[in-house]
Amino acid sequence: MPLASADLNSLPDSTISAVIVLAAGAGTRMKSGRPKVLHELAGKPMLWHALHSAAGLAPSQLIAVLGHGRDQVGRFLADSADLPPVVIAVQDQQLGTGHACACALAATGELTGTVLVTYGDVPLLQTSTLTALANEHANSGNAVTILTAQLADPTGYGRILRAPDGELTGIVEQKDADAQQRSIQEVNSGVYAFDGAVLTDALGRLSDANAAGERYLTDVVGIARADGRRVGSVVADDAVETEGINDRVQLAELARVLNARLVRKAQLAGVTVHDPATTWIHADVTIGPDTEILPGTSLQAGTTIGSGCSIGPDTTLIACTVADEASVVRSHCHGATIGARASVGPFSYLRPDAVLEPDSKAGAFVEIKKSTVGAGSKVPHLSYIGDTTIGTGSNIGAGTITANYDGARKFATTIGNDAFIGSNTTLIAPVSVHDGGYVAAGSSITADVQPGDLGVARGRQRTVPGWVLRRKPDSAAAKSAQAALTERESDTDQPAGDPPSRSITASAQFESQTGDRPA
Ligand code: UD1
Ligand code: CA
């Protein structure tokens, strides 16, 4: 969801002074040259999702704590036009989650009011859940409010400790927990709301006397309670929102969950999705109502689809714009603009800056690059069109190739309005076929065809009479030919073996030149 359309109803009751997103960890289990938080789900890095959800709260400051891969992550943040400004805090050594928050405060100066902490590797957390946390925090007058989750398998997580009356008394890390504590299934998600002043004070008092030798953010809970402050919690409705990603198995699992969410959102907005399991919709994709998505379709980042379209099956659209009522069947399109009611595929390959104007067509086994197909024009079969402008109402015959590349440079082809390019034509650029110009089938066109002219550029046909009968006398072809000629002789009294006579009518002349019939 683009920031501009962030749901104002999800804003918390009171203002949030900061959200700190921890993202300094190494992510060694990804086994990747890329920083963990830049691995993508739904076409965006997991950090983007984390920041986007945080930004939905409209905090006064959004802070990312970076460490491992911070140059790459910093570059991503600088280049992300669809995120609000992010303050970057650097944590050189990963001395623990408490230390990471202290690094954030060092970058921002003192933070008062409500401060939330989340993780850059927890991409499914929704703004609405953060809002519920912030509201509980404000309405209960807590100094610390923890987002917890109930897990069937709590292994690895910090466990939530409660007094018999249910009051939250602390968090114990797996490494530091005894057997009884390890059996607790309520875990710390690692997402919190803090009173900024309490957090600042407690961070200065953390010790690293624990099993990991780290400064635990979780110890802020014990410090706040010892100071007589209120600590509360909110249980996440759906524990999957609190799941972090450590390896590529979890990446794929959470990507599927996120995709299911995006598919459902599209369905509820009026899009028919025939097979949610094989339909992939990236986070920033928009689709109009009454559009139908067939199985095996991947709608990737930067794609916008109008209403009443039919997309798929087995289609990938990357950064494409598709206008209302267009259809795209079994095709791969990247950076293409597909106009209203245009028809693409089956098996089309549209490359960057392919523009299909309304009611135009790119048909079977057609590749189009950096070219415009004008309104109502058709490229129905087996063509390569590159660096070409086609006007309106033109027909490009089967197997037409624009030869746009001489091995070093690219050249343009121009085809006007209502032009006709016969089948199996090579248009050797730079070349133009002007308005109403025709090109005969099988031509290699090197010179411009002026309005209303016919360009013919191919060897004239030579027929060798009786060649098969003489050279392959015992062949099946010779036998069939002989039979046909004998029959013809009995019909017309023509002597057997003579070449068939043909009267060349205007129509047949046209057919032999253009490979097609006049309308
Ligand atoms: C932490 C919590 C644990 C909770 C779990 C939820 C502590 C001490 N423990 O455990 O109670 O159940 O998260 O996932 O906080 N990070 C930094 N700098 C650091 C250390 C961590 O930026 O020095 C970041 C990591 O990149 C990661 C997040 O903080 O995004 C959590 O770090 P991680 O090491 O996974 O914490 P856990 O030990 O799993
Ligand atoms: Ca973890």
Side-chain angles (χ1 to χ4, degrees):
M1 176 179 62
L3 278 178
S5 65
D7 184 0
L8 291 178
N9 296 326
S10 72
L11 285 177
D13 300 342
S14 56
T15 55
I16 305 298
S17 61
V19 181
I20 299 171
V21 180
L22 305 187
T28 43
R29 279 177 281 167
M30 294 302 283
K31 308 241 165 78
S32 178
R34 203 196 306 185
K36 174 165 84 170
V37 292
L38 293 187
H39 283 262
E40 294 185 354
L41 308 83
K44 294 285 184 184
M46 55 180 103
L47 180 60
W48 182 92
H49 293 285
L51 290 168
H52 192 261
S53 296
L57 297 171
S60 308
Q61 292 195 76
L62 187 52
I63 304 135
V65 180
L66 307 185
H68 282 277
R70 66 169 175 268
D71 292 344
Q72 270 171 279
V73 180
R75 228 173 293 131
F76 161 72
L77 293 177
D79 294 347
S80 295
D82 53 356
L83 286 174
V86 176
V87 176
I88 293 176
V90 174
Q91 185 192 28
D92 273 319
Q93 275 183 292
Q94 280 66 63
L95 302 178
T97 47
H99 178 252
C101 286
C103 293
L105 297 191
T108 58
E110 194 188 347
L111 287 176
T112 53
T114 301
V115 176
L116 267 66
V117 175
T118 67
Y119 293 164
D121 57 3
V122 177
L124 262 50
L125 188 63
Q126 305 201 76
T127 301
S128 55
T129 302
L130 290 172
T131 300
L133 177 71
N135 287 346
E136 169 65 16
H137 181 78
N139 299 336
S140 305
N142 291 338
V144 184
T145 310
I146 303 162
L147 181 67
T148 74
Q150 289 285 351
L151 297 184
D153 177 11
T155 309
Y157 287 89
R159 309 299 205 281
I160 300 296
L161 306 179
R162 292 185 185 274
D165 66 357
E167 193 185 337
L168 199 156
T169 55
I171 301 170
V172 61
E173 292 304 297
Q174 163 99 12
K175 280 182 181 165
D176 303 299
D178 62 29
Q180 188 275 326
Q181 290 168 329
R182 285 186 185 185
S183 70
I184 297 170
Q185 289 178 302
E186 187 183 9
V187 304
N188 170 29
S189 71
V191 176
Y192 321 79
F194 293 102
D195 176 277
V198 172
L199 177 67
T200 306
D201 172 63
L203 288 178
R205 294 155 63 189
L206 295 180
S207 109
D208 59 6
N210 51 52
E214 290 183 355
R215 277 192 255 166
Y216 290 166
L217 180 59
T218 48
D219 287 349
V220 171
V221 173
I223 293 170
R225 275 180 54 84
D227 290 350
R229 302 191 189 276
R230 285 181 65 94
V231 174
S233 64
V234 170
V235 187
D237 288 336
D238 186 353
V240 79
E241 282 197 38
T242 68
E243 277 183 38
I245 293 176
N246 297 304
D247 58 32
R248 297 187 201 234
V249 176
Q250 292 166 330
L251 178 66
E253 282 168 0
L254 292 195
R256 186 166 282 288
V257 173
L258 179 54
N259 188 60
R261 202 190 265 173
L262 292 163
V263 167
R264 187 182 153 80
K265 186 175 146 205
Q267 289 172 317
L268 294 176
V271 177
T272 296
V273 178
H274 288 267
D275 184 15
T278 63
T279 299
W280 293 85
I281 302 177
H282 280 178
D284 63 347
V285 169
T286 62
I287 311 171
D290 288 324
T291 282
E292 214 173 326
I293 312 287
L294 290 114
T297 294
S298 177
L299 305 176
Q300 301 191 12
T303 295
T304 301
I305 298 173
S307 59
C309 297
S310 179
I311 312 291
D314 302 327
T315 290
T316 298
L317 303 182
I318 306 161
C320 289
T321 302
V322 182
D324 296 348
E325 289 171 51
S327 105
V328 185
V329 181
R330 288 186 207 281
S331 292
H332 186 95
C333 309
H334 185 179
T337 303
I338 298 167
R341 299 170 304 281
S343 155
V344 177
F347 309 108
S348 297
Y349 179 28
L350 302 186
R351 293 168 50 201
D353 300 320
V355 177
L356 299 191
E357 290 188 340
D359 303 296
S360 65
K361 175 179 177 124
F365 306 103
V366 167
E367 175 177 342
I368 300 180
K369 185 219 79 173
K370 205 175 176 188
S371 296
T372 297
V373 180
S377 289
K378 296 182 169 41
V379 189
H381 333 271
L382 300 159
S383 287
Y384 171 69
I385 304 295
D387 305 311
T388 297
T389 308
I390 302 173
T392 62
S394 290
N395 190 79
I396 312 302
T400 296
I401 304 294
T402 56
N404 58 336
Y405 185 48
D406 68 359
R409 287 176 301 162
K410 300 278 174 67
F411 299 93
T413 299
T414 308
I415 298 170
N417 300 330
D418 302 304
F420 181 99
I421 311 298
S423 295
N424 195 30
T425 291
T426 306
L427 298 166
I428 300 171
V431 74
S432 296
V433 177
H434 291 280
D435 293 351
Y438 270 49
V439 169
S443 291
S444 290
I445 297 293
T446 53
D448 290 358
V449 176
Q450 298 304 327
D453 286 357
L454 168 68
V456 188
R458 64 178 184 223
R460 200 169 261 289
Q461 180 174 335
R462 186 167 73 98
T463 304
V464 182
W467 185 91
V468 174
L469 299 177
R470 286 195 309 281
R471 299 289 286 271
K472 299 177 182 293
D474 300 323
S475 66
K479 287 189 182 104
S480 287
Q482 190 58 64
L485 292 168
T486 303
E487 189 176 336
R488 196 175 283 187
E489 182 187 9
S490 68
D491 286 352
T492 65
D493 283 332
Q494 276 188 356
D498 274 10
S501 67
R502 287 208 289 167
S503 75
I504 310 290
T505 64
S507 168
Q509 177 80 51
F510 177 91
E511 283 182 47
S512 72
Q513 287 177 338
T514 63
D516 212 329
R517 287 168 198 284

